[in-house]
Amino acid sequence: MFTCYTKQDRFETYVLTNEDHKINIEVVPERGGIISKYIHNNEPIFYLEQETLEDTSKNIRGGNPILFPISSYLVNETYYYNDIAYQLKQHGFARNLEAKVIHTFADEHCASITLEMVDNEETYERYPFHFKLIMKYSLTKSGLSIQATINNNDNKVMPFYLGYHPYFYVEDKESIEINIPSSNYKEMVPNSVVQDKFNFNQPESTVIYEQLQSNHCEMIDHARQLKVTITSEDVYQYMVLWALQGKSFVCIEPWMAPENGMNVGQGIQYLEASQTHTSTIQITAESLI
């Protein structure tokens, strides 16, 4: 049996869990509707620096931040719409919006929570569209489903490209194997790939993969005998790896568009007035023992 309940930490937190609490997620609506924690069979799947969750002046380092209306960064944090310049910081602003819980559900098979984020005066100055972003998180014994539905509530075509920034907990980086179904990549930080392997032995490494040959990416953690699979729909055309030396995580990030996407015109989704766009990614974890 699955259940959904709330607890009060620094912020109100929704917990979705099964009866023995071996599988659960925690969702913090006030902090960008983020899934802050994900546990599978008592093993942490997501990494979290708790102090960044509690401090609203900081971007959260951990969990699974939502990247909207852009998934990457813009050169000079600037893009143009109808020849007018607008500024958007890296990864957009959804991760800093407060979400409203509109539905929860739990039965013997799964638990889910649905949240809603909408535009406001501040977002409209940087992104001149009225929108609604609905996030539905569903947890089962086999894994986590993350569904985003974007409503264009404006009277003009709305460009966007969504992404996610999951921080996967890793005890020993030397013991993990990452399988990305592409040989086409760009190093966003020099020397991020050494001898065809992602380089954990420098202060920061970042790689963006394109021309994915399938929608399944894997991280095998041999130290913990654990495999994590990220399955995304075809609209997520790019996969990014990011890591910092000395930190117990690696980010494997599904993006719809590459860096500077608004300006280079790649991967952008154009949503007609009053229309909706829905996409889903899934994260599954399984023991290799």
Side-chain angles (χ1 to χ4, degrees):
M1 187 71 183
F2 282 82
T3 59
C4 177
Y5 63 91
T6 61
K7 65 177 184 178
Q8 190 66 44
D9 290 332
R10 169 71 170 82
F11 303 100
E12 183 178 47
T13 301
Y14 284 72
V15 181
L16 280 60
T17 185
N18 66 336
E19 58 189 359
D20 57 10
H21 302 286
K22 289 184 178 180
I23 302 171
N24 65 76
I25 63 172
E26 295 189 7
V27 179
V28 187
E30 291 177 72
R31 294 288 273 141
I34 193 173
I35 301 175
S36 59
K37 296 181 181 180
Y38 177 23
I39 304 293
H40 184 87
N41 286 342
N42 292 328
E43 288 284 350
I45 305 301
F46 287 167
Y47 168 94
L48 177 66
E49 293 181 9
Q50 186 71 29
E51 63 274 16
T52 65
L53 176 69
E54 296 176 358
D55 186 345
T56 57
S57 70
K58 296 180 179 179
N59 289 323
I60 300 170
R61 178 164 287 174
N64 182 37
I66 301 163
L67 313 182
F68 174 86
I70 61 172
S71 52
S72 55
Y73 66 85
L74 301 169
V75 173
N76 298 322
E77 297 185 347
T78 301
Y79 72 99
Y80 293 84
Y81 183 81
N82 287 343
D83 296 324
I84 299 174
Y86 294 92
Q87 276 70 49
L88 273 176
K89 292 185 177 181
Q90 183 175 5
H91 301 321
F93 49 64
R95 58 184 175 161
N96 296 316
L97 292 180
E98 182 173 343
K100 175 184 177 182
V101 177
I102 59 176
H103 184 68
T104 60
F105 173 83
D107 66 9
E108 65 269 27
H109 303 295
C110 73
S112 67
I113 182 171
T114 306
L115 308 100
E116 173 185 281
M117 287 180 270
V118 298
D119 63 278
N120 56 42
E121 289 185 7
E122 183 181 351
T123 67
Y124 200 83
E125 289 181 0
R126 293 177 284 161
Y127 182 66
F129 304 95
H130 298 298
F131 68 85
K132 181 187 296 182
L133 172 59
I134 299 173
M135 299 299 307
K136 182 178 181 180
Y137 304 137
S138 301
L139 183 68
T140 67
K141 289 183 178 180
S142 60
L144 171 63
S145 172
I146 300 169
Q147 181 188 78
T149 299
I150 299 161
N151 297 347
N152 180 356
N153 293 337
D154 219 306
N155 57 8
K156 54 186 180 288
V157 176
M158 185 175 79
F160 73 91
Y161 43 99
L162 182 69
Y164 298 98
H165 200 306
Y167 288 72
F168 293 102
Y169 176 73
V170 177
E171 290 181 351
D172 178 6
K173 291 177 181 175
E174 296 303 318
S175 74
I176 67 170
E177 173 186 342
I178 300 174
N179 298 316
I180 307 294
S182 173
S183 59
N184 294 285
Y185 64 84
K186 175 183 176 181
E187 292 182 325
M188 299 167 73
V189 173
N191 300 314
S192 290
V193 175
V194 176
Q195 296 181 343
D196 295 326
K197 291 186 177 181
F198 190 65
N199 182 14
F200 291 110
N201 298 313
Q202 63 179 12
E204 178 180 8
S205 291
T206 313
V207 174
I208 182 168
Y209 288 85
E210 59 183 4
Q211 299 179 20
L212 301 177
Q213 301 302 304
S214 81
N215 58 357
H216 296 277
C217 299
E218 293 180 345
M219 182 188 76
I220 301 173
D221 187 334
H222 292 286
R224 294 197 291 161
Q225 289 294 292
L226 179 72
K227 181 170 77 171
V228 176
T229 303
I230 305 98
T231 304
S232 54
E233 295 183 2
D234 290 343
V235 70
Y236 295 92
Q237 303 176 54
Y238 301 85
M239 194 65 67
V240 174
L241 301 185
W242 179 63
L244 296 176
Q245 195 171 37
K247 296 291 186 177
S248 301
F249 69 79
V250 58
C251 293
I252 307 175
E253 309 171 33
W255 289 4
M256 289 184 178
E259 70 276 20
N260 204 32
M262 280 286 200
N263 296 316
V264 300
Q266 292 177 244
I268 302 173
Q269 307 302 304
Y270 293 97
L271 192 57
E272 296 289 336
S274 302
Q275 297 299 303
T276 65
H277 182 284
T278 299
S279 62
T280 303
I281 71 165
Q282 293 181 324
I283 299 174
T284 58
E286 60 182 296
S287 173
L288 299 178
I289 299 176

